């Protein structure tokens, strides 16, 4: 239910994060104020900036820097982890390989998904079966990205063991400490606030709905206007990433701090810019949350146009439902007030697979 918003609101979620696992969180005035702001932002724009999230500026920067260093490598090096259907569509895609609604996107990317072992979700999961392809170069890429993912997800995709420093001679002490200390459980906690905003219990998105959340991460590089990277010379208004909605619950976007390229569409069809706000994530609602909220919250269309001369990097993390969740409008007072159920049941895994299978050329 987006409106004619003209800017994206900024929400400081520190009060929510502090009380998030307190059984009385729903009575805390600080939490309730964050919940009110989340509700307003999700209803009016489907987009908001997130501050007070507890993830350090150094880590936000480190994941973008290491991604940029990967994209600077020669093509032969990058295609060592080329995305293939056999890897469950995980890996590197060159500029133009990803398509949105039939048009090639002017970006290169590494796609990562929660790993799906053989038979894990039966036929539903077959397309996504596979392991992430991490580059050897730059060194420590895998370790830094996996820790970032676990901070966003709120649970570990592998058992967490505080690994002795000696195993990581190349990682600066402060980065490792930062990674080990800041276990933000970010997306899960924001979803607890959103559950309250929808008039439900804070646990609404745990258990069968999103207690074992699927996640996706895209590391994206958008060539600048004057950049020639051997295969592509970007033109003004080339679409870096075509207009789309995200598929799951909540997206946490960590974008380059000095380039204004992300645009969000309001109800009248105007493209509103979402410029970088240092130290924040840009968050947006995905298709599954639109269904859970019975359309109260919008999965808003957005796109990327990099008209800057600089190469732009974004690290995009998508927090999803359980892979096999059957998603339908929640039965809370607020969603009921929005009228009869506006959506049929959707299986998240089917929705994801249908998108993945139409997103690429020549694979
Ligand atoms: O790079 C960006 O700013 C946004 C990318 C995006 O919308 C996506 O990957 O879904
Ligand atoms: Fe998106």
């Amino acid at each position: 239910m987006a409106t004619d918003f003209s800017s994206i609101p900024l929400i400081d979620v520190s009060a929510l994060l502090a009380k998030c696992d307190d059984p009385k969180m729903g009575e805390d005035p600080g939490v309730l104020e964050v919940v009110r702001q989340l509700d307003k932002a999700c209803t009016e724009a489907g987009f908001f900036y997130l501050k007070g999230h507890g993830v350090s500026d150094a880590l936000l920067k480190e994941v973008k820097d290491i991604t940029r260093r990967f994209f600077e490598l020669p093509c032969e090096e990058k295609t060592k982890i080329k995305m293939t259907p056999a890897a469950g569509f995980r890996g590197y895609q060159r500029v133009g390989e990803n398509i949105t609604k039939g048009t090639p996107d002017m970006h290169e990317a590494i796609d990562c998904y929660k790993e799906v072992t053989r038979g894990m979700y039966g036929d539903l999961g077959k397309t996504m079966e596979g392991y992430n392809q991490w580059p050897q170069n730059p060194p420590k890429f895998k370790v830094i990205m996996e820790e970032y993912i676990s901070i966003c997800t709120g649970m570990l995709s592998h058992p967490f063991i505080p690994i002795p420093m000696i195993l990581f001679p190349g990682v600066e002490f402060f980065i490792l400490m930062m990674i080990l200390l800041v276990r933000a459980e970010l997306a899960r906690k924001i979803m607890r606030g959103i559950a309250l905003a929808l008039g439900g219990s804070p646990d609404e998105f745990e258990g069968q709905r999103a207690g074992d959340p699927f996640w996706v991460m895209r590391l994206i590089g958008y060539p600048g206007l004057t950049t020639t990277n051997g295969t592509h010379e970007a033109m003004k208004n080339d679409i870096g990433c075509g207009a789309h909605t995200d598929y799951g619950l909540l997206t946490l976007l960590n974008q380059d701090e000095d380039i204004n390229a992300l645009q969000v569409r309001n109800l009248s069809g105007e493209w509103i810019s979402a410029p970088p706000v240092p130290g924040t994530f840009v968050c947006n609602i995905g298709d599954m949350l639109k269904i859970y909220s019975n359309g109260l919250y919008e999965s808003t269309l957005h796109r990327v146009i990099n008209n800057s001369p600089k190469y732009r990097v974004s690290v995009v993390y998508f927090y999803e439902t359980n892979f096999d969740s059957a998603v339908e409008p929640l039965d809370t007072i607020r969603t009921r007030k929005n009228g009869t159920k506006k959506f049929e049941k959707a299986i998240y895994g089917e929705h994801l697979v249908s998108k993945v299978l139409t997103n690429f050329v020549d694979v």
Side-chain angles (χ1 to χ4, degrees):
M1 204 209 285
T3 57
D4 271 342
F5 60 90
S6 56
S7 62
I8 312 289
L10 184 143
I11 306 178
D12 182 337
V13 290
S14 45
L16 169 66
L17 300 192
K19 289 279 164 67
C20 198
D21 285 309
D22 180 334
K24 294 217 166 108
M25 68 179 281
E27 295 160 30
D28 182 273
V31 171
L32 290 177
E33 175 53 24
V34 176
V35 166
R36 189 191 63 76
Q37 291 180 32
L38 285 171
D39 188 46
K40 186 167 176 346
C42 294
T43 309
E44 292 181 356
F47 262 80
F48 54 93
Y49 291 95
L50 193 72
K51 92 173 224 202
H53 46 67
V55 183
S56 73
D57 287 352
L59 182 57
L60 290 176
K61 181 169 179 307
E62 178 64 16
V63 288
K64 285 178 293 198
D65 285 352
I66 200 164
T67 299
R68 196 182 327 273
R69 291 205 295 279
F70 173 81
F71 289 135
E72 281 165 3
L73 295 171
C75 192
E76 314 81 77
E77 187 64 28
K78 293 189 278 193
T79 47
K80 283 184 183 162
I81 59 157
K82 185 175 163 30
M83 182 199 64
T84 61
F89 293 85
R90 293 165 179 78
Y92 171 74
Q93 306 133 52
R94 61 194 152 65
V95 172
E97 200 171 333
N98 194 105
I99 52 175
T100 305
K101 300 186 184 124
T103 307
D105 289 329
M106 289 304 118
H107 71 240
E108 54 187 330
I110 302 179
D111 279 2
C112 317
Y113 297 93
K114 180 173 175 171
E115 296 186 342
V116 177
T117 52
R118 178 116 45 104
M120 196 164 159
Y121 300 112
D123 284 350
L124 177 67
K126 277 233 155 338
T127 310
M128 303 314 300
E129 285 176 3
Y131 297 95
N132 285 312
Q133 304 199 66
W134 300 111
Q136 294 293 320
N137 190 9
K140 310 296 175 230
F141 196 97
K142 174 178 191 287
V143 88
I144 289 171
M145 290 305 174
E146 284 194 335
E147 291 301 336
Y148 185 79
I149 291 162
S150 75
I151 283 168
C152 293
T153 310
M155 65 183 53
L156 298 161
S157 44
H158 54 85
F160 175 63
I161 304 152
I163 308 149
M165 278 299 298
I166 197 147
L167 294 180
F168 292 95
V171 180
E172 291 85 341
F173 180 74
F174 90 95
I175 293 176
L176 191 63
M177 288 319 286
M178 192 173 67
I179 287 171
L180 298 182
L181 291 174
V182 185
R183 317 216 116 251
E185 300 197 310
L186 195 51
R188 183 184 72 83
K189 291 183 174 175
I190 309 296
M191 288 310 299
R192 289 176 71 77
I194 289 179
L196 286 177
L198 286 170
S201 100
D203 301 335
E204 219 64 63
F205 296 108
E206 301 195 11
Q208 299 238 310
R209 294 194 179 112
D212 178 22
F214 197 70
W215 57 260
V216 181
M217 188 164 74
R218 304 203 72 218
L219 311 170
I220 315 179
Y222 301 88
L225 264 189
T226 55
T227 304
T228 304
N229 72 354
T231 55
H232 167 71
E233 198 158 335
M235 311 282 282
K236 198 159 169 48
N237 292 325
D238 255 2
I239 301 290
C241 180
H244 67 282
T245 60
D246 293 347
Y247 318 147
L249 289 177
L250 185 72
T251 305
L252 304 177
L253 165 67
N254 171 8
Q255 60 173 334
D256 251 348
E257 292 205 341
D258 51 354
I259 301 170
N260 187 358
L262 175 64
Q263 302 176 350
V264 182
R265 208 179 74 165
N266 73 11
L267 192 61
S268 329
E270 261 178 291
W271 288 100
I272 306 300
S273 112
V277 176
T280 66
F281 288 96
V282 179
C283 288
N284 62 287
I285 302 305
D287 299 336
M288 295 302 114
L289 186 49
K290 177 179 180 154
I291 299 178
Y292 276 132
S293 71
N294 202 23
L296 277 176
Y297 296 168
E298 191 60 62
S299 54
T300 313
L301 271 175
H302 53 286
R303 68 181 186 188
V304 177
I305 298 179
N306 182 14
N307 272 340
S308 139
K310 288 197 197 154
Y311 189 96
R312 174 180 185 266
V313 166
S314 60
V315 172
V316 199
Y317 169 86
F318 304 88
Y319 185 77
E320 316 288 83
T321 65
N322 295 359
F323 189 80
D324 50 4
S325 274
V327 178
E328 59 183 332
L330 295 175
D331 202 18
T332 65
I333 297 167
R334 295 241 11 250
T335 47
R336 275 203 303 271
K337 256 190 15 207
N338 198 33
T340 49
K341 287 193 175 178
K342 295 187 162 64
F343 301 96
E344 295 300 318
K345 220 179 249 184
I347 309 287
Y348 166 72
E350 280 176 8
H351 185 55
L352 175 71
V353 167
S354 72
K355 297 286 185 177
V356 167
L357 291 179
T358 50
N359 269 359
F360 302 103
V361 283
D362 297 341
V363 290

